[in-house]
Amino acid sequence: MQKTVNAKWFAFKYKLLKRIETSLNEDKELIKNGAEITFKNYCKLQVVECTKASYSKENQKKLDEWAEKNCIAKQITHYKRIDIDNIPVEIDQKVNDIFNTLEDSQDKDIKRVASKIANKRK
């Protein structure tokens, strides 16, 4: 049996995800820069110092040349990606309206929306 995907719902979820990712990244930057955090006891938010090591461009070039001389090649990975374009402007407005409502609401409003979503899934 062939499965189906609703393009309208896919576009809505895609745009909502993008909006949420943007908002989360903005919040992360604010937290890193010392923003005041409300509802501190709700969950544990912390900034973790991390270290990442990589080769300089010059050294990476030397390593690539050495690997080529020694017949060591990078492994190629094939994958498929889904791109989406030409999403109607109305989807942006709906996502923005929902997001702004949730972001600007008090706890009781978020609880009511979450409850309605949970009831519709049953």
Side-chain angles (χ1 to χ4, degrees):
M1 182 167 103
Q2 185 175 357
K3 303 254 182 183
T4 60
V5 175
N6 181 321
K8 184 175 182 180
W9 182 232
F10 183 90
F12 180 84
K13 291 187 290 186
Y14 176 84
K15 288 302 236 177
L16 183 59
L17 176 63
K18 292 297 180 192
R19 181 74 192 265
I20 289 172
E21 285 175 342
T22 299
S23 178
L24 278 173
N25 289 333
E26 289 171 358
D27 288 348
K28 288 176 186 178
E29 285 303 312
L30 289 171
I31 292 168
K32 287 177 193 175
N33 292 320
E36 179 184 351
I37 298 172
T38 59
F39 293 94
K40 290 180 183 180
N41 296 330
Y42 185 76
C43 64
K44 183 178 180 181
L45 290 177
Q46 61 184 356
V47 178
V48 179
E49 295 289 334
C50 301
T51 304
K52 180 177 140 181
S54 60
Y55 296 110
S56 67
K57 289 183 180 183
E58 296 81 19
N59 287 338
Q60 185 63 55
K61 185 177 178 182
K62 290 176 187 176
L63 287 169
D64 289 342
E65 290 170 358
W66 178 86
E68 187 177 336
K69 287 178 187 175
N70 290 285
C71 300
I72 298 173
K74 292 181 181 179
Q75 183 177 353
I76 297 174
T77 303
H78 297 279
Y79 64 95
K80 293 181 181 179
R81 183 180 78 205
I82 306 299
D83 285 339
I84 182 170
D85 293 312
N86 301 327
I87 298 173
V89 175
E90 70 186 45
I91 294 292
D92 277 326
Q93 188 57 49
K94 285 181 184 180
V95 168
N96 288 337
D97 290 346
I98 291 169
F99 193 87
N100 290 334
T101 299
L102 291 174
E103 190 174 56
D104 297 336
S105 68
Q106 301 299 319
D107 280 341
K108 63 180 178 172
D109 295 327
I110 294 172
K111 191 175 187 179
R112 187 173 62 239
V113 170
S115 174
K116 286 186 179 190
I117 291 171
N119 289 334
K120 285 186 178 184
R121 290 185 177 198
K122 291 180 181 179

